[in-house]
Amino acid sequence: MSAGAAIATRAASRTAEREVAGLRRAVREVEHADRVRVCVDRRELCSFASNDYLGLAQHPEVIAAMKGAADRWGVGSTAAHLLGGHRGPHAQLERMVADWLGYESALLFSTGYLANLGVIAGLMQRGDACVQDKLNHASLIDAVRLAGCELRRYPHGEVAAAARQLQAAGAVPKLLASDGVFSMDGDLAPLPQLAALAREHDALLYVDDAHGFGVLGPDGQGSPEQLGLGADDVPLRMVTLGKAVGCAGALVLGSRVLIDALVQFARPFVYSTALPPAVAAAALAAIAVVRREPQRRAHLQALIARFRAGVAQIGGELMDSSTPIQPLLLGDAAQASALAQALWQQGLYVPAIRPPTVPAGSARLRITLSAAHTAEDVDRLLEALDRARAR
Ligand SMILES: *Cc1c(COP(=O)(O)O)cnc(C)c1O
């Protein structure tokens, strides 16, 4: 037996358990992508899987900005932000988004996952309390483990339960953290109520707006603006650049005091190479398109309305979502997989989301719509769903 085999044996048996349960995850290679048209296993598919909600990942202006910045700055940033890796486009991006959303400062991270680890582990300590919605993103939960503070969760969207958790935490420093838009359900957090609770209980409200930024609110600023809130109500916010912005990375926005502390204590910021400057330049160009072209959001909203009306007509069970995330709840994991497979056969890529990503018994198709879709794409999906359900 080779050294260390115990770990490989256990790993293999855990994977086998997933396989037996029909829950094994597998990576699929996309061989070609032209916005929502993708090619997998040489099959042409219309994708309803991406988070590129505004169709910016392959926008010519965004690509040109990236190429131009690569010519000027090269590819790698060569170092962490604190050691010479903080280049012009990084600084410009932080300043632009902070000003646009009305915050004093912003800090760039390589991914949203790392931003959440950095914020919570950088600001919270043992003995503190972090109150979270049960359906918050995995990175917010993982961050609490890293911080060593107490995790107090409340049932999804239940404001009264959140209040009880804040009350029970007592007179320790408290962070109230919530997704703005829940990534597997597509619904919005009750942010006005959470903001009021945070004030009442002297907690710091932190909103992870990975799926709201670029899409929601009158100008695409995000879920707080959609619900009539602003920087005063949400003192600390995270936005990602890999979803509606179509690039990669994440920004944390807050007061100078909080951002300064993150520069000192957010280890994923301190000890990791800065994003390629060309990616920051691409994000700047993409956000310029977000701000200049509200018609992308209008088209997306029209597609969402068309899809929801269509599903209601064929008697499908939709979740309560006004965002581009439109899950179709099935419950049973095998049924979700079979429906995804049937759609695949008809040239539609719609992923089945199964436990443990979602709670047991709540398997679903996670349909995401994009401004890059046409009304005909949505109709094709509706017809295929109708056919698959009728069988
Ligand atoms: C996608 C997502 C993240 C992670 O962002 P990445 O930039 O993809 O690492 C964090 N929070 C939520 C709610 C997300 O949906």
Side-chain angles (χ1 to χ4, degrees), residues 103-107 234-237 252-259:
Y103 289 85
E104 280 180 354
S105 294
L107 195 67
V234 181
L236 196 59
R237 185 188 311 197
V252 176
L253 302 126
S255 66
R256 193 156 293 123
V257 170
L258 289 174
I259 299 299

Side-chain angles (χ1 to χ4, degrees), residues 44-346:
E44 283 274 355
L45 298 152
C46 180
S47 172
F48 290 91
S50 109
N51 301 320
D52 181 22
Y53 303 124
L54 298 177
L56 296 178
Q58 292 185 299
H59 190 289
E61 257 177 59
V62 179
I63 296 169
M66 186 160 180
K67 284 181 177 165
D71 285 340
R72 174 148 176 221
W73 297 95
V75 176
S77 64
T78 78
H81 284 275
L82 290 167
L83 300 174
H86 191 62
R87 303 296 160 91
H90 300 134
Q92 243 185 300
L93 178 61
E94 287 178 346
R95 192 67 263 148
M96 189 269 266
V97 177
D99 287 346
W100 183 37
L101 299 184
Y103 289 85
E104 280 180 354
S105 294
L107 195 67
L108 182 62
F109 287 78
S110 310
T111 72
Y113 192 106
L114 290 174
N116 280 339
L117 295 189
V119 164
I120 297 188
L123 297 178
M124 303 302 282
Q125 301 181 0
R126 205 162 291 283
D128 297 350
C130 185
V131 176
Q132 297 204 19
D133 189 292
K134 270 212 165 136
L135 295 189
N136 274 355
H137 191 260
S139 54
L140 288 166
I141 309 287
D142 296 357
V144 169
R145 289 195 202 155
L146 199 58
C149 62
E150 187 190 11
L151 176 61
R152 291 179 163 272
R153 299 209 284 175
Y154 56 89
H156 180 50
E158 290 188 16
V159 176
R164 284 194 295 275
Q165 288 288 30
L166 287 165
Q167 184 71 40
V172 299
K174 292 178 281 292
L175 187 77
L176 175 56
S178 178
D179 288 12
V181 175
F182 290 88
S183 51
M184 295 300 142
D185 290 47
D187 57 335
L188 284 158
L191 294 180
Q193 293 85 335
L194 295 181
L197 272 188
R199 286 196 174 101
E200 187 183 329
H201 293 272
D202 194 24
L204 179 66
L205 178 61
Y206 177 46
V207 173
D208 169 346
D209 205 23
H211 294 280
F213 185 57
V215 173
L216 300 180
D219 305 312
Q221 289 167 304
S223 46
E225 285 71 16
Q226 172 92 12
L227 297 167
L229 306 180
D232 289 346
D233 309 292
V234 181
L236 196 59
R237 185 188 311 197
M238 193 275 278
V239 301
T240 62
L241 305 171
K243 286 168 181 159
V245 176
C247 298
L251 287 157
V252 176
L253 302 126
S255 66
R256 193 156 293 123
V257 170
L258 289 174
I259 299 299
D260 276 353
L262 292 177
V263 171
Q264 316 307 314
F265 305 118
R267 293 164 67 88
F269 173 81
V270 176
Y271 295 109
S272 193
T273 302
L275 268 184
V279 173
L284 273 162
I287 295 169
V289 178
V290 167
R291 299 178 66 173
R292 192 184 70 212
E293 298 186 357
Q295 61 270 32
R296 286 175 186 271
R297 282 187 295 282
H299 175 56
L300 181 57
Q301 283 309 324
L303 294 178
I304 293 168
R306 186 181 189 95
F307 178 72
R308 291 186 67 85
V311 172
Q313 218 160 41
I314 63 177
E317 191 181 345
L318 273 178
M319 298 175 70
D320 179 24
S321 162
S322 56
T323 71
I325 304 170
Q326 290 292 330
L328 202 59
L329 191 62
L330 293 156
D332 178 58
Q335 201 191 343
S337 298
L339 186 50
Q341 187 58 33
L343 294 173
W344 179 275
Q345 294 305 331
Q346 298 181 54

